[in-house]
């Protein structure tokens, strides 16, 4: 087997979705400018939504200095995956188990969920042009800037309080469903609570479009005239923002059933299969299983699939803290964000000029991106190294110990995703 360097630069790809931040305001555009992507020229009027780092067939990364894509290169050099990962995950054709991204959100993403593995396989078989792969897509979002999102169902008493105080919301739900939902407290079993929440959400998402537009117009008029009640004050600005971006869309009413969270850099949330969510604004690192499957139901001009979304949700109602991922210490200057799935873990490395951070060998492959400053990564006891600057992306093979060194004034910050 040919000897290859286990650490090398790769070229990510960009996705210019409509919801992305515009031009150099986008972290995606900033990092892409430093990534040496062939043919990339920043356009100040274009939206830059996502930077992809990985092997997904929709948009695989390239290997700098080679005409091969990353999956082609990994297929030719399987030793870079290590011995452990192919035993647990499908690594055929150089497939990594995870997909690493940067997202720059200028406008809210769709109300969405992601299928579990079994459902993903069924959806892919039935609608391969819509659900383009058979994989699940649990995901973690880690804030690079101030970040806002809708994630998971609110605790049931909160939803009940909105039903009581927001007549426009309540009028979209049949009275029998409203009565069933408000009547579940306090003695209902968990299955009964989930059943009532499912009935409420299904009724909301299948409300007739003319009625949605009529009630939303009333709600917006009331909010703009200062008529928000005390209960509504925490969602008023969100409702106005979402309606400005997606006028008359049913997704605006999801403000009353989904948790609204504000996060600062270093905070992270995890969303497993069947958890409804929508990212609203900000720049994030995102890591997920290697999939692009999205089931949408609102805040989007794209195809909606409300039946599959409603049928695939967990209907777990809990505070947003239920989704938070608390970092732990990986090494001296590295934090580990480790969600409750085997597909990926993300490390945050932060060193200053002259500081050195050592990472022991990891039993699986990694992808790392520099998001701040300049420095280097060294391996083979310092015999080999790569100089790195903001936007540079590197692949690190399994079983290689590395050191990150800061060079610039201020922080040298790297995010490293791996599977082990």
């Amino acid at each position: 087997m040919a000897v290859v360097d286990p650490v090398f630069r790769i070229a990510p790809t960009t996705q210019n979705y409509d919801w992305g931040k515009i031009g150099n305001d986008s972290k995606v555009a900033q990092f892409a400018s430093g990534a040496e992507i062939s043919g990339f020229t920043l356009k100040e009027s274009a939206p830059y939504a996502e930077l992809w780092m990985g092997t997904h067939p929709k948009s695989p990364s390239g290997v700098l200095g080679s005409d091969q894509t990353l999956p082609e290169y990994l297929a030719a050099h399987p030793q870079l995956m290590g011995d452990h990962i192919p035993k647990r995950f499908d690594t055929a054709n150089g497939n990594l188990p995870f997909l690493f991204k940067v997202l720059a959100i200028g406008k809210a993403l769709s109300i969405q969920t992601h299928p579990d593995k079994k459902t993903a396989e069924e959806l892919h078989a039935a609608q391969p042009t819509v659900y383009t792969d058979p994989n699940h897509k649990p995901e973690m979002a880690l804030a690079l800037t101030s970040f806002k999102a809708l994630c998971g169902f609110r605790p049931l008493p909160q939803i009940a309080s909105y039903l009581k105080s927001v007549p426009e919301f309540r009028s979209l739900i049949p009275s029998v469903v409203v009565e069933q939902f408000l009547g579940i407290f306090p003695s209902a079993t968990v299955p009964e609570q989930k059943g009532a929440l499912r009935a409420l959400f299904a009724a909301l998402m299948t409300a007739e479009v003319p009625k949605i537009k009529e009630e939303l117009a009333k709600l917006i008029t009331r909010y703009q005239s200062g008529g928000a009640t005390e209960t509504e004050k925490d969602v008023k600005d969100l409702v106005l923002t979402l309606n400005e971006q997606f006028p008359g869309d049913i997704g605006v009413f999801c403000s009353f059933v989904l948790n609204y969270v504000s996060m600062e850099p270093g905070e992270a949330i995890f969303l497993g299969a069947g958890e409804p969510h929508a990212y609203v604004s900000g720049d994030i690192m995102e890591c997920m299983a290697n999939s692009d499957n999205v089931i949408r139901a609102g805040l989007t001009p794209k195809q909606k699939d409300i039946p599959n979304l409603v049928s695939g949700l967990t209907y777990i109602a809990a505070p947003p803290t239920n989704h938070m991922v608390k970092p732990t210490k990986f090494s001296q200057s590295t934090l580990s964000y480790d969600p409750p799935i085997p597909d990926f873990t993300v490390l945050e490395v932060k060193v200053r000029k002259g500081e050195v951070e050592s990472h022991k060998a990891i039993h699986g492959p990694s992808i790392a991106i520099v998001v701040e400053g300049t420095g280097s990564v060294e391996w083979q006891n310092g015999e080999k190294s790569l100089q790195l600057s903001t936007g540079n992306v590197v692949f690190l093979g399994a079983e290689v110990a590395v050191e990150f060194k800061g060079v610039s004034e201020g922080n040298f910050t790297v995010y490293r995703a791996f599977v082990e």
Side-chain angles (χ1 to χ4, degrees):
M1 188 174 289
V3 176
V4 297
D5 272 328
V7 182
F8 51 89
R9 291 272 310 279
I10 63 174
T13 61
T14 59
Q15 311 297 331
N16 300 88
Y17 305 139
D18 178 64
W19 51 260
K21 288 188 175 180
I22 304 300
N24 204 47
D25 287 340
S26 167
K27 291 284 188 187
V28 169
Q30 294 171 25
F31 298 157
S33 296
E36 297 181 39
I37 301 171
S38 178
F40 177 81
T41 301
L42 193 152
K43 298 177 182 177
E44 281 297 344
S45 61
Y48 291 91
E50 297 187 354
L51 189 79
W52 286 29
M53 300 166 281
T55 59
H56 193 280
K58 175 181 174 179
S59 197
S61 297
V63 177
L64 288 184
S66 165
D67 59 359
Q68 289 183 299
T69 64
L70 179 59
E72 289 170 342
Y73 193 82
L74 295 179
H77 306 289
Q79 68 270 30
L80 294 169
M81 291 284 195
D83 295 329
H84 299 275
I85 302 309
K87 295 175 183 177
R88 188 166 191 183
F89 297 95
D90 176 12
T91 58
N93 302 313
N95 178 62
L96 288 173
F98 64 87
L99 177 59
F100 205 21
K101 294 182 181 180
V102 179
L103 270 62
I105 303 148
K107 186 167 70 171
L109 278 69
S110 55
I111 302 291
Q112 60 186 259
T113 187
H114 305 300
D116 59 24
K117 188 71 168 71
K118 179 176 181 293
T119 305
E121 291 170 350
E122 293 170 352
L123 291 173
H124 177 63
Q127 303 178 68
T129 59
V130 177
Y131 302 103
T132 56
D133 60 72
N135 203 15
H136 66 163
K137 192 188 175 188
E139 64 187 34
M140 180 169 64
L142 201 163
L144 291 172
T145 63
S146 293
F147 168 60
K148 298 182 186 301
L150 293 166
C151 70
F153 286 107
R154 292 177 180 272
L156 298 185
Q158 283 188 21
I159 300 174
S161 70
Y162 288 126
L163 271 178
K164 294 173 182 177
S165 63
V166 186
E168 300 88 354
F169 169 39
R170 181 172 179 143
S171 70
L172 294 176
I173 315 296
S175 59
V176 64
V177 176
V178 172
E179 291 168 5
Q180 177 196 17
F181 186 87
L182 295 178
I184 64 175
F185 307 106
S187 58
T189 64
V190 170
E192 287 171 340
Q193 292 176 2
K194 287 186 175 183
L197 178 56
R198 175 173 176 153
L200 176 77
F201 189 67
L204 176 66
M205 301 310 291
T206 56
E208 295 181 354
V209 172
K211 182 68 171 174
I212 294 167
K213 294 182 180 296
E214 176 188 349
E215 295 301 327
L216 189 50
K218 292 179 186 176
L219 182 65
I220 298 303
T221 298
R222 182 162 65 84
Y223 282 1
Q224 289 175 337
S225 63
T229 65
E230 190 65 29
T231 303
E232 297 169 274
K233 285 184 177 178
D234 64 331
V235 294
K236 183 191 75 171
D237 289 343
L238 173 64
V239 166
L240 292 173
T241 296
L242 294 181
N243 185 70
E244 184 177 336
Q245 294 175 358
F246 299 94
D249 192 290
I250 185 59
V252 180
F253 280 102
C254 288
S255 304
F256 301 115
V257 295
L258 302 182
N259 290 302
Y260 185 43
V261 297
S262 296
M263 295 163 51
E264 294 303 319
E267 295 184 307
I269 53 173
F270 172 73
L271 293 152
E275 294 292 349
H277 60 280
Y279 300 153
V280 176
S281 65
D283 300 84
I284 61 172
M285 298 302 307
E286 187 183 43
C287 200
M288 63 201 65
N290 193 19
S291 173
D292 195 38
N293 283 325
V294 180
I295 306 174
R296 299 179 180 88
L299 304 182
T300 180
K302 296 181 179 179
Q303 179 176 337
K304 299 177 183 179
D305 190 349
I306 290 172
N308 276 313
L309 182 128
V310 168
S311 67
L313 297 179
T314 63
Y315 295 101
I316 295 172
T321 50
N322 194 53
H323 299 277
M324 301 298 287
V325 179
K326 297 294 185 183
T328 58
K329 199 165 186 177
F330 180 82
S331 54
Q332 182 63 32
S333 299
T334 302
L335 294 176
S336 173
Y337 295 82
D338 190 18
I341 52 162
D343 304 70
F344 58 83
T345 300
V346 175
L347 305 178
E348 179 195 69
V349 186
K350 196 179 289 273
V351 293
R352 300 185 72 83
K353 184 176 181 179
E355 294 179 342
V356 178
E357 177 70 348
S358 299
H359 284 188
K360 63 185 178 181
I362 291 174
H363 299 313
S366 308
I367 289 177
I369 179 172
V370 180
V371 301
E372 181 182 24
T374 58
S376 66
V377 59
E378 298 184 357
W379 66 102
Q380 291 186 8
N381 297 315
E383 293 181 13
K384 294 195 172 185
S385 67
L386 282 175
Q387 302 305 304
L388 300 175
S389 59
T390 301
N392 288 178
V393 184
V394 294
F395 178 90
L396 302 96
E399 309 295 352
V400 57
V402 298
E403 289 186 339
F404 294 95
K405 294 185 176 182
V407 173
S408 59
E409 298 295 337
N411 290 323
F412 175 53
T413 305
V414 178
Y415 285 97
R416 178 183 184 184
F418 70 90
V419 58
E420 184 170 52

